[in-house]
Amino acid sequence: MAATRYRRFLRLCEEWPVEHTKRHRDLGVFLRQRVAQAFREGENTQIADPETCDQMYESLVRIHTNYYKNKYPRLKDTSFTGVTVEDCKMILATDILKQMEDMKKGTWRKLREKFSAKKPEEDSK
């Protein structure tokens, strides 16, 4: 039975898209890592709680297939702010978030990072 669960999770991982704009924050990558951890022995992995495993799988399938989006369709594809889905995806891209974080820095901090021999990560320790 564990082999069937393993194959189902593998199939879900194959179908789940990877968003390259969200480096280190992508749900597809996280899902693949968690499946690899949970099924370290592949089809021979012993599952302690099969019911919970099945519930997790079914929940992930509902997310992947947009079950609730299809069940409760929206009248418009915008939020209360008027921002479209494409705009939200662009704003949440890792590169844009990094640029926004850089814009938040003060002038003194930018100069210090520019002329400092240390990396900014070392400075915050």
Side-chain angles (χ1 to χ4, degrees):
M1 197 64 180
T4 304
R5 286 185 179 91
Y6 176 65
R7 281 189 230 115
R8 286 180 11 186
F9 271 102
L10 281 182
R11 192 174 332 110
L12 181 64
C13 287
E14 288 173 2
E15 293 174 3
W16 202 289
V18 174
E19 290 193 46
H20 299 287
T21 60
K22 295 183 179 177
R23 289 183 305 273
H24 309 293
R25 300 179 302 120
D26 181 45
L27 185 58
V29 173
F30 178 75
L31 175 64
R32 287 169 180 78
Q33 291 170 349
R34 289 297 305 259
V35 168
Q37 288 175 354
F39 292 96
R40 285 189 185 115
E41 298 174 19
E43 294 182 354
N44 299 325
T45 303
Q46 296 298 319
I47 299 171
D49 192 0
E51 292 81 25
T52 303
C53 181
D54 292 340
Q55 288 175 353
M56 283 185 196
Y57 174 76
E58 293 301 325
S59 295
L60 289 169
V61 167
R62 284 192 296 271
I63 292 170
H64 176 63
T65 60
N66 292 321
Y67 174 80
Y68 291 106
K69 179 183 178 187
N70 297 330
K71 185 175 179 179
Y72 304 106
R74 299 179 59 150
L75 299 176
K76 297 180 181 179
D77 286 336
T78 61
S79 65
F80 71 95
T81 61
V83 178
T84 64
V85 175
E86 291 79 25
D87 292 339
C88 286
K89 285 183 180 181
M90 184 189 72
I91 291 168
L92 293 174
T94 302
D95 296 335
I96 300 297
L97 290 175
K98 175 102 173 85
Q99 288 175 2
M100 289 172 59
E101 187 65 32
D102 289 342
M103 287 173 39
K104 287 181 185 177
K105 292 179 183 176
T107 306
W108 179 250
R109 187 170 180 186
K110 287 180 188 176
L111 287 171
R112 190 175 71 195
E113 287 178 1
K114 185 176 181 179
F115 294 111
S116 175
K118 294 189 286 185
K119 293 181 180 176
E121 296 88 30
E122 295 173 3
D123 197 30
S124 63
K125 290 182 182 176

